[in-house]
């Protein structure tokens, strides 16, 4: 069989949708083939959390996500809260904490309970209020029962950034800061799906973080060199991408990474590494060393930043790699090529 | 059974997704419940084709659509061309012919052929070039085989309008202009789906119309009082909405409405009224009588406006209703409460 014949039989796999390397390959090879991309500061080729579109004298940040999470209701959140938070957070980590408009496009299967749709809409409304954002336009489509399992919610956002922050700006010695605890979303989802009883219920961290990120930006401005939200591929995936794009290595200290004890216990039982699992309510910030103390204090002054911690730093070695200092030694922390959990967001 | 019990059992129906009155009721009752909506010139409550968001000194228009068309490849187009055109056209009919950015969020079932995905991506790229637009950010999710039939493409757009045009601006005596022929998209889709051979293949009109609409705006400016693209509910649906929102009646002359002969023949065999079926490549314009001749000449100077025609006018009577002068008499042209064809876009 020639390569060409092999390619013509190729099909999309679940792994390609999980947000890791396989998906980035699919997106860059297929979906961006031949699309024009001129005059953008951060466009598709950068594969950041969104794109920067200059309009008048403003830096408009534009980002989209479709949400297919299963189950749609889970401890700590639901697909509506996830959709609004996911889009607000992608704007925020590019510096656009000022969310100007959100759109909501819902595809639902015929037979879906209107009461569930109302719960989702109410949750989107509440989450918008938390983020000081508004859904200003929308679309609804219904697919036949059997053509779709449940509901798909797309949210797209437009924000304005005074100071655009990419995920590629790390320099050696920059301090890596997490705005909060790690591992909650993925563990909450998988525990709910597997129906495992850990004695306690792990809740997802899903929340809009533009408020807490804005605290950091307002004290440190350009001293925040890079930001990313560690969603589908977890802390390991986000740190790995920041290292690759910044042309640096990253050294993390395990004892500094805030992993809550219930997440530790549950992820052990599930056989998962909490550093490789999805978060929906935190950001990773690269901060110039001189500004790190101010940024930590600013983050901790916000209700969503109480657990903020300096978890490591960028190094001028091991470019593109993430090292984890466990206290007993140092090992590579790898980005999983495929995520073990489909439909986690 | 009390009303409350009845409501708690309510489910979404296919008819609610078809873009007619039932869908507007679902959207306004459920999906916009409690969402904040301040400081917008045209926001959700107007239920226009998009929302206007002031950023700096510019009028930014923002619109979203999810596309679930079945089959995804059809005579004259495919889901990719439809997605780009649909969003570009929703911007254009609000005056934002200057498309600044598009997003593309794809949800696809596991097992989907990569070659089909490439065809769709190539088609999106070609359609972007026609519209002088660019997809600048995207997202891909994969659902399990059996959880989704095929592919869902969401496109969201950001455009800038010098002069924002609503769909509510008609005044009595305004001339109603169609930029082109009526009925092609819906008939092409249904003929393909039913596998009926009419001796000739009706092709969809799906195309970006920001270029041809811009011609009209550049000669007439504020003399264009209202615009709408007659998509899911056809000419009848769009005219009916323009009449209701403008507080006028509309009188159409059947002999002036450009219905191509192949559409006439096919829609007779399918038992459909071409005035009630979807279009994806035309707009309806309300134009002050003094500017009508200039607008028609400008439209006809564009390759996509060769068939432009003045098809009727707004009247200060029969508010919210559309009258059709058939030559033998005048009858009401009703917006169907439900569209006969699901997954037409």
């Amino acid at each position: 069989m020639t390569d060409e014949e092999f390619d013509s039989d190729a099909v999309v796999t679940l792994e390609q949708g999980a947000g890791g390397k396989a998906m980035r390959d699919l997106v860059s090879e297929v979906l961006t083939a031949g699309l024009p991309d001129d005059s953008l500061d951060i466009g598709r080729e950068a594969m950041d959390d969104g794109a920067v579109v200059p309009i008048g004298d403003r830096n408009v940040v534009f980002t989209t996500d479709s949400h297919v999470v299963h189950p749609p209701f889970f401890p700590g959140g639901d697909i509506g809260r996830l959709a609004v938070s996911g889009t607000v957070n992608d704007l925020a980590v590019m510096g656009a904490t000022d969310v100007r408009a959100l759109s909501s496009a819902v595809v639902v299967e015929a037979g879906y309970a209107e009461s569930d749709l109302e719960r989702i809409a109410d949750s989107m409304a509440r989450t918008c209020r938390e983020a000081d954002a508004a859904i200003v336009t929308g679309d609804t489509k219904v697919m036949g029962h059997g053509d779709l399992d449940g509901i798909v919610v797309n949210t797209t956002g437009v924000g304005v950034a005074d100071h655009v922050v990419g995920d590629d700006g790390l320099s050696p010695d920059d301090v890596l800061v997490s705005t909060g605890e790690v591992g909650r979303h993925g563990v909450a989802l998988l525990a709910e799906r597997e129906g495992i009883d850990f004695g306690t219920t792990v809740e997802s961290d899903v929340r809009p973080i533009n408020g807490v990120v804005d605290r950091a930006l307002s004290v440190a401005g350009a001293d925040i060199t890079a930001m990313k939200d560690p969603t589908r591929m977890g802390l390991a995936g986000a740190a790995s991408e920041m290292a690759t794009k910044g042309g640096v290595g990253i050294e993390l200290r395990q004892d500094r990474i805030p992993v809550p004890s219930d997440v530790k216990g549950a992820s052990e039982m599930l056989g998962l590494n909490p550093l490789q699992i999805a978060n929906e309510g935190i950001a990773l910030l690269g901060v110039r060393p001189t500004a790190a103390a101010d940024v930590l204090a600013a983050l901790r002054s916000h209700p969503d930043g109480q657990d903020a911690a300096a978890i490591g730093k960028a190094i001028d070695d091991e470019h593109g790699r993430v090292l984890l200092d466990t206290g007993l030694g140092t090992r590579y922390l790898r980005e999983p090529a495929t995520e073990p959990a489909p439909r986690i967001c």
Side-chain angles (χ1 to χ4, degrees), chain A:
Chain A
M1 188 185 266
T2 67
D3 276 0
E4 200 178 317
E5 282 166 337
F6 178 78
D7 279 342
S8 72
D9 290 339
V11 298
V12 176
T13 63
L14 269 179
E15 289 68 30
Q16 286 170 318
K21 189 176 173 309
M23 184 205 126
R24 285 202 305 276
D25 290 348
L26 175 73
V27 169
S28 49
E29 281 171 21
V30 176
L31 290 180
T32 68
L35 297 185
D37 187 357
D38 299 337
S39 74
L40 291 167
D41 291 341
I42 297 182
R44 266 188 344 269
E45 80 289 347
M47 286 286 180
D48 206 327
D49 305 283
V52 180
V53 183
I55 294 182
D57 57 355
R58 307 297 167 99
N59 289 313
V60 173
V61 182
F62 184 44
T63 187
T64 190
D65 265 310
S66 289
H67 299 271
V68 299
V69 63
H70 188 83
F73 302 96
F74 49 83
D78 57 74
I79 192 170
R81 182 169 181 80
L82 185 63
V84 170
S85 300
T87 294
V88 165
N89 297 353
D90 279 346
L91 294 176
V93 295
M94 294 191 65
T97 50
D98 175 8
V99 180
R100 290 300 177 88
L102 299 176
S103 66
S104 154
V106 172
V107 185
V108 66
E109 73 171 308
Y112 201 77
E114 284 195 9
S115 55
D116 282 350
L117 208 51
E118 276 182 62
R119 272 179 75 189
I120 292 167
D122 288 347
S123 174
M124 293 179 85
R126 268 195 308 276
T127 313
C128 278
R129 284 191 291 270
E130 284 176 46
D132 194 18
I135 294 172
V136 301
T137 192
D139 177 53
T140 310
K141 294 277 167 31
V142 183
M143 285 175 85
H145 183 63
D147 289 350
L148 174 67
D149 173 34
I151 186 167
V152 176
V153 180
N154 176 279
T155 35
T156 303
V158 169
V160 173
D162 288 334
H163 164 60
V164 173
V165 183
D167 56 7
D168 61 351
L170 283 183
S171 298
D173 296 327
D174 284 355
V175 178
L176 209 70
V177 170
S178 172
T179 63
E181 292 177 329
V182 166
R184 288 206 170 279
H185 180 70
V187 167
L189 245 292
L190 290 176
E192 172 80 5
R193 212 186 288 170
E194 302 297 322
I196 299 175
D197 182 8
F198 305 106
T200 169
T201 302
V202 176
E203 297 212 331
S204 167
D205 63 341
V206 58
R207 66 164 61 87
I209 57 167
N210 56 327
V212 65
V213 167
D214 193 58
R215 289 273 170 101
L217 287 170
S218 60
V219 297
D223 283 338
I224 295 179
T225 57
M227 292 199 281
K228 194 159 194 72
D229 51 339
T231 52
R232 285 197 263 180
M233 299 302 280
L235 173 61
S240 172
E241 210 171 325
M242 291 171 90
T244 302
K245 291 183 177 175
V248 297
I250 288 178
E251 205 171 65
L252 298 178
R253 281 189 49 179
Q254 188 154 32
D255 62 340
R256 298 282 184 86
I257 302 172
V259 182
S261 58
D262 56 353
V263 167
K264 263 185 203 147
S267 52
E268 265 168 36
M269 286 183 67
L270 291 161
L272 297 168
N273 180 347
L275 307 188
Q276 291 181 326
I277 202 154
N279 309 281
E280 294 289 348
I282 61 169
L284 294 182
L285 280 55
V287 185
R288 298 259 183 254
T290 49
D294 284 350
V295 165
L296 278 170
L299 291 171
R300 289 175 183 153
S301 74
H302 191 281
D304 296 333
Q306 310 267 310
D307 301 306
I311 61 172
K313 63 174 183 180
I315 56 173
D316 190 14
D317 194 14
E318 300 280 1
H319 294 178
R321 291 183 153 174
V322 180
L323 301 170
L324 183 68
D325 176 354
T326 63
L328 303 170
T330 297
R331 63 174 181 85
Y332 290 117
L333 179 64
R334 292 189 201 283
E335 170 191 33
T338 63
E339 199 199 9
R343 298 187 68 178
I344 202 138
C345 62

